Amino acid sequence: MKHNRYKVLLIEDESNIRSMVKAILYANGYQVILADSCQSGMMLFSSHLPDLVILDLGLPDRDGLEFIRHIRKTDVTPVLVLSARTTEEDKIQALDLGANDYVTKPFGTGELLARVRAALRSCRISRDAALPAGKFQLLDLTIDYNRRLVTVGGGEVSLTQTEYNILDFLSQNSGKVLTYSAIIRQVWGYDDPGSVKKLQVNMANLRKKLGAKPGAENYIVNELGVGYRMNDT
Ligand code: CA
């Protein structure tokens, strides 16, 4: 099985389609989180911080458009709509609310995978546009910006896209205190007081993966109540 670093949240109430899409994604190396209602989708979105959402619109509790409206207040995570609604108005409505793409049912496996890759790519390109090339080195930690590869003591560290983007931003400003809102704006594109919790969850996971012991400030210093600072090389 192929592996990639992407986590996909699939919100779909029809169990046969859910199983099929899950199998397709899983076979192509994606991590998949499943939700069968709008409400559970919103909860899993906040707790799992996926890299991409695949969203059905006809959900039992609420219209899937509500999900887009809800997350777009604070978040730029790509959303791929997968729906049986085929009119142009339906598509325009979803896209205007902030969906990144729209696939109508029935769909082909190849098409779905291509749209998933495109949505992830467009999101990555817009975030990477200003990145300089090269490497960052601090103690045992190395970041290869060209390959988006992070190693500690020579061993590769597997990060989610969001964790990588946070590390990337901190390392390119090492020595500088970056406020919560500056990091949130850079990584998610929106600044909202509710996003601080999301940043803290990602940061805790990132530091755990980098091997920082509790209390030890090997790489990233927590400036309590203000933000974070990457130690200087
Ligand atoms: Ca449905």
Side-chain angles (χ1 to χ4, degrees):
M1 197 185 77
K2 293 173 252 176
H3 285 281
N4 63 52
R5 65 166 63 134
Y6 298 111
K7 208 192 288 184
V8 178
L9 170 61
L10 171 62
I11 308 175
E12 167 67 76
D13 62 318
E14 287 164 69
S15 61
N16 55 338
I17 296 184
R18 205 166 56 229
S19 311
M20 181 179 74
V21 174
K22 183 194 170 184
I24 293 168
L25 293 171
Y26 192 70
N28 284 274
Y30 295 91
Q31 290 180 59
V32 187
I33 303 147
L34 298 175
D36 59 6
S37 69
C38 190
Q39 184 64 33
S40 65
M42 286 177 186
M43 283 168 59
L44 290 169
F45 181 83
S46 313
S47 57
H48 284 75
L49 309 169
D51 298 301
L52 172 80
V53 179
I54 297 180
L55 175 70
D56 178 28
L57 295 183
L59 294 167
D61 54 342
R62 279 189 244 175
D63 194 298
L65 294 173
E66 286 300 314
F67 176 89
I68 306 176
R69 206 171 274 130
H70 176 75
I71 72 156
R72 277 291 175 266
K73 288 178 198 159
T74 56
D75 206 283
V76 293
T77 302
V79 174
L80 182 60
V81 169
L82 187 60
S83 180
R85 298 179 197 166
T86 54
T87 70
E88 194 175 57
E89 294 89 282
D90 288 323
K91 293 180 189 176
I92 289 171
Q93 200 180 4
L95 295 169
D96 274 349
L97 281 174
N100 296 59
D101 202 353
Y102 199 107
V103 179
T104 50
K105 296 174 183 171
F107 54 88
T109 303
E111 182 192 5
L112 179 68
L113 287 169
R115 303 284 191 108
V116 165
R117 287 193 300 272
L120 288 166
R121 197 163 53 234
S122 67
C123 163
R124 206 164 58 223
I125 288 165
S126 64
R127 284 170 179 166
D128 285 358
L131 293 188
K135 284 188 182 185
F136 175 84
Q137 177 85 49
L138 171 63
L139 305 172
D140 284 339
L141 169 70
T142 304
I143 306 167
D144 182 333
Y145 295 122
N146 290 320
R147 297 165 64 203
R148 295 175 69 86
L149 180 71
V150 177
T151 58
V152 172
E156 186 176 346
V157 182
S158 170
L159 299 179
T160 65
Q161 197 183 346
T162 301
E163 289 160 1
Y164 179 86
N165 288 339
I166 293 171
L167 180 64
D168 185 72
F169 185 49
L170 284 169
S171 65
Q172 303 217 27
N173 292 280
S174 66
K176 221 156 73 178
V177 178
L178 298 175
T179 62
Y180 298 130
S181 69
I183 300 170
I184 289 162
R185 274 200 309 273
Q186 170 72 21
V187 174
W188 284 281
Y190 287 87
D191 184 12
D192 182 274
S195 303
V196 171
K197 183 70 199 158
K198 186 161 67 174
L199 171 61
Q200 287 170 335
V201 170
N202 272 282
M203 190 59 85
N205 290 337
L206 173 60
R207 294 174 75 173
K208 207 177 341 172
K209 288 182 181 178
L210 295 180
K213 295 179 183 66
E217 311 274 31
N218 293 351
Y219 308 115
I220 299 167
V221 182
N222 188 357
E223 304 282 353
L224 277 179
V226 179
Y228 296 95
R229 173 171 57 81
M230 188 104 196
N231 274 320
D232 239 336
T233 39

